[in-house]
Amino acid sequence: MLMSGTELARAIVQRAAEKAADYTRRTGAKPCLATVIVGEDPASVTYVRMKQNRCHKAGIESRHVALPERTTTEELVAQIRELSDDPAVHGILLQHPVPHHIDERAAFEAIAPHKDVDGVTMHSFAGMSFGHNDFLSCTPGGIMRLLDAHDVEIAGKHAVVIGRSPILGKPAAMLLLARDATVTICHSKTVGLADVVRTADIVVAAVGKPRFVQGDWIKPGAVVVDAGYNEGNVGDVDFDAAVDHAGLITPVPGGVGPTTIAVLLEQTVDASLRQLDA
Amino acid sequence: MLMSGTELARAIVQRAAEKAADYTRRTGAKPCLATVIVGEDPASVTYVRMKQNRCHKAGIESRHVALPERTTTEELVAQIRELSDDPAVHGILLQHPVPHHIDERAAFEAIAPHKDVDGVTMHSFAGMSFGHNDFLSCTPGGIMRLLDAHDVEIAGKHAVVIGRSPILGKPAAMLLLARDATVTICHSKTVGLADVVRTADIVVAAVGKPRFVQGDWIKPGAVVVDAGYNEGNVGDVDFDAAVDHAGLITPVPGGVGPTTIAVLLEQTVDASLRQLDA
């Protein structure tokens, strides 16, 4: 069965828009998400434009900071600190990836924890790992919402996460663990990956390689979450083959993607309301 | 074969003592570890006394802060903040566990990151997870040293960690992952634990239940690390049964325990030197 994210995302955004309207009624201003982009990676430019559109529709102000490719780490950190200190900005998103010469971690850490609506700081990661959940990394957060919306049982199940990036694989593993899954984290150095995946009740593919996960790796009835988004709208799972084995499977596009942005908008609005009440 | 920690710990402490002496030559003062204990749990009192002894022998000053059982979270946080601000204190250890009415996480977070020689803050956890490794949680740090001292291959191996506490199971999993193991995290809600453990090349038992891991759960030749320390000097692994299956196995006592304290002393001295150079 298809595990679509479109309807779910719409519902999350709808609720975020209502809360944004509430914020505006109370303050006369809009919740504000600042998006920082360095350089002109075409995929990133498209993605940021899409986020701005979604913000606009949800009643969220979108402030766009575009920095040239040659920006230094120090300049980027200074820019992000300024946004962290700006009371009119409620959430900050640094578009990933940044150019290679920049220390991305240093830039992420310049985001004030209470404005980390994309869930990329060390503080947010530890919060997810320890069950505090102030802000979630958006894609893992979207994945959990998808699983819940489709009544997927998580506790006691074996979840296999393929990929270990700091904003996708690792936090996804930690969120599944917090919900009492037995969690295995696999990666490029894993030996016998196919056999490990074959033991999974829940598979999260977060590798960034098109059609990497094969159909016959999927245990009959397993839940397959494809967090990949590769060139040509292709996921990390060989969907056409996997769909015959999986009990539930996300399409690409229309699966994890929409829920990721929805969680970003929701967390931005929540941040604005929390900052109002603080 | 036995994977003893005694010799290794001695070597680590020896080197820490040399560095401590170097610190003293340069400053006239000693590296200083402040230990905070709340209440009078007998095991904790014994453990803290042992740490103080070891500090003394290694040329590390040990400052002891004993607070009554009725201490509030606010009082404890204030006390720890004071130590965080005190330039004569280089490392801070809050003895775990604290009384139930205290918010232990809030207390841990009052430790300045550059003094977190026990590796308990959210910052240190994320650092271990992302491969920065400023300070390690001491028991997971000791485990990694034990594995390295015994030339255990980690990359590509399947490591199963039983237990998911914020200062033992989770950081152990993250350190093994950073060394390219495929890592499975198990816990009380894991279904079919014995079968999961049977697939492990490396087993880390961090459950806190005496002789919980059975001998026939151990794959022939696997490496078994027992991080448990229960009443009566008993580990989390049924040693007498497991020793027949394991390729390498830590004894209790004399395995992980000594390396834990050794890493604590080493990190305290390193902290003092880093604060000197900062």
Side-chain angles (χ1 to χ4, degrees):
Chain A
M1 223 181 82
L2 219 54
M3 188 157 47
S4 164
T6 321
E7 273 311 306
L8 169 62
R10 200 169 293 147
I12 296 172
V13 172
Q14 171 64 31
R15 210 172 126 53
E18 287 162 13
K19 289 198 276 184
D22 178 45
Y23 180 90
T24 302
R25 259 191 305 276
R26 288 168 67 184
T27 66
K30 286 179 180 178
C32 173
L33 172 67
T35 303
V36 181
I37 183 168
V38 185
E40 308 203 334
D41 175 60
S44 291
V45 170
T46 310
Y47 200 52
V48 164
R49 197 169 303 137
M50 185 167 66
K51 285 173 190 167
Q52 291 178 298
N53 264 327
R54 298 292 168 82
C55 279
H56 181 72
K57 283 189 193 158
I60 297 169
E61 187 190 330
S62 164
R63 192 190 292 191
H64 187 49
V65 180
L67 300 173
E69 179 82 22
R70 62 170 188 282
T71 304
T72 65
T73 299
E74 291 66 35
E75 288 165 344
L76 179 56
V77 164
Q79 175 65 69
I80 293 175
R81 285 227 178 98
E82 208 180 300
L83 296 169
S84 287
D85 290 339
D86 184 341
V89 170
H90 305 106
I92 301 169
L93 177 140
L94 170 62
Q95 181 63 36
H96 171 84
V98 295
H100 287 301
H101 66 273
I102 287 179
D103 178 350
E104 185 174 65
R105 176 51 50 197
F108 280 158
E109 294 308 311
I111 299 172
H114 64 288
K115 296 188 180 182
D116 181 24
V117 295
D118 200 26
V120 298
T121 59
M122 292 168 76
H123 183 89
S124 291
F125 177 75
M128 287 182 274
S129 302
F130 297 166
H132 310 169
N133 289 357
D134 280 350
F135 292 115
L136 310 183
S137 304
C138 292
T139 302
I143 290 170
M144 299 309 289
R145 299 289 279 269
L146 260 176
L147 295 175
D148 284 340
H150 290 83
D151 294 320
V152 174
E153 208 186 321
I154 301 173
K157 298 298 176 184
H158 185 202
V160 172
V161 177
I162 316 172
R164 52 173 164 172
S165 79
I167 53 178
L168 181 38
K170 279 187 183 120
M174 287 296 136
L175 292 176
L176 289 161
L177 181 63
R179 292 284 297 278
D180 293 332
T182 299
V183 178
T184 299
I185 310 172
C186 297
H187 45 79
S188 56
K189 301 286 161 44
T190 291
V191 175
L193 178 61
D195 285 332
V196 178
V197 175
R198 281 188 188 108
T199 67
D201 302 306
I202 301 169
V203 180
V204 175
V207 215
K209 290 182 189 165
R211 297 196 187 93
F212 177 75
V213 175
Q214 304 298 303
D216 66 358
W217 299 7
I218 306 301
K219 182 165 83 174
V223 174
V224 178
V225 179
D226 189 345
Y229 192 78
N230 307 290
E231 224 170 304
N233 275 358
V234 173
D236 288 352
V237 176
D238 183 355
F239 181 89
D240 293 338
V243 72
D244 293 335
H245 301 81
L248 277 170
I249 184 169
T250 57
V252 175
V256 173
T259 63
T260 296
I261 299 190
V263 169
L264 173 69
L265 301 189
E266 179 182 56
Q267 295 194 141
T268 300
V269 175
D270 286 347
S272 73
L273 288 167
R274 257 183 249 161
Q275 286 162 48
L276 195 61
D277 296 336
Chain B
M1 225 182 80
L2 219 54
M3 187 157 49
S4 164
T6 321
E7 273 311 307
L8 169 63
R10 201 170 291 146
I12 296 171
V13 172
Q14 171 65 30
R15 210 173 126 53
E18 285 162 15
K19 289 198 275 184
D22 179 45
Y23 180 89
T24 302
R25 260 190 305 277
R26 290 170 66 184
T27 65
K30 287 177 177 178
C32 173
L33 173 67
T35 304
V36 180
I37 183 168
V38 185
E40 310 203 333
D41 175 59
S44 290
V45 170
T46 309
Y47 198 53
V48 164
R49 197 169 302 136
M50 183 166 68
K51 284 173 189 165
Q52 291 178 298
N53 265 327
R54 299 291 168 82
C55 279
H56 181 71
K57 284 189 193 157
I60 297 169
E61 188 191 328
S62 165
R63 191 189 295 187
H64 187 50
V65 180
L67 300 173
E69 178 82 23
R70 62 169 190 280
T71 304
T72 64
T73 298
E74 291 66 33
E75 288 165 343
L76 179 57
V77 164
Q79 174 64 70
I80 293 175
R81 286 228 176 98
E82 208 179 300
L83 296 169
S84 287
D85 290 340
D86 183 342
V89 170
H90 306 106
I92 300 169
L93 177 142
L94 171 61
Q95 181 62 38
H96 170 86
V98 294
H100 286 300
H101 67 274
I102 288 178
D103 177 350
E104 185 174 63
R105 177 50 49 197
F108 280 156
E109 293 308 312
I111 299 172
H114 64 289
K115 297 189 180 183
D116 181 25
V117 295
D118 201 28
V120 298
T121 59
M122 292 168 76
H123 184 89
S124 291
F125 177 74
M128 288 182 273
S129 302
F130 297 166
H132 310 167
N133 289 359
D134 280 349
F135 293 114
L136 309 183
S137 304
C138 291
T139 301
I143 291 171
M144 299 310 288
R145 301 290 280 270
L146 260 176
L147 294 175
D148 285 339
H150 291 82
D151 294 320
V152 174
E153 210 186 319
I154 300 172
K157 298 299 178 184
H158 185 203
V160 172
V161 177
I162 316 171
R164 52 174 164 172
S165 79
I167 53 177
L168 182 38
K170 280 189 182 116
M174 287 296 137
L175 292 176
L176 288 160
L177 181 64
R179 294 283 298 279
D180 294 333
T182 300
V183 178
T184 300
I185 310 172
C186 298
H187 44 78
S188 56
K189 302 285 162 44
T190 291
V191 174
L193 178 61
D195 285 332
V196 179
V197 176
R198 282 189 186 105
T199 68
D201 302 305
I202 300 169
V203 180
V204 175
V207 215
K209 291 184 190 164
R211 297 196 187 91
F212 177 74
V213 176
Q214 304 299 305
D216 65 359
W217 298 8
I218 307 302
K219 182 165 83 172
V223 174
V224 178
V225 179
D226 189 344
Y229 191 77
N230 307 290
E231 225 171 303
N233 276 358
V234 173
D236 287 352
V237 177
D238 184 354
F239 181 88
D240 293 338
V243 71
D244 292 337
H245 301 80
L248 277 171
I249 184 168
T250 56
V252 175
V256 172
T259 64
T260 296
I261 299 190
V263 169
L264 172 69
L265 300 189
E266 180 183 55
Q267 295 194 143
T268 300
V269 175
D270 286 347
S272 74
L273 288 166
R274 255 183 251 161
Q275 286 162 48
L276 194 61
D277 296 336

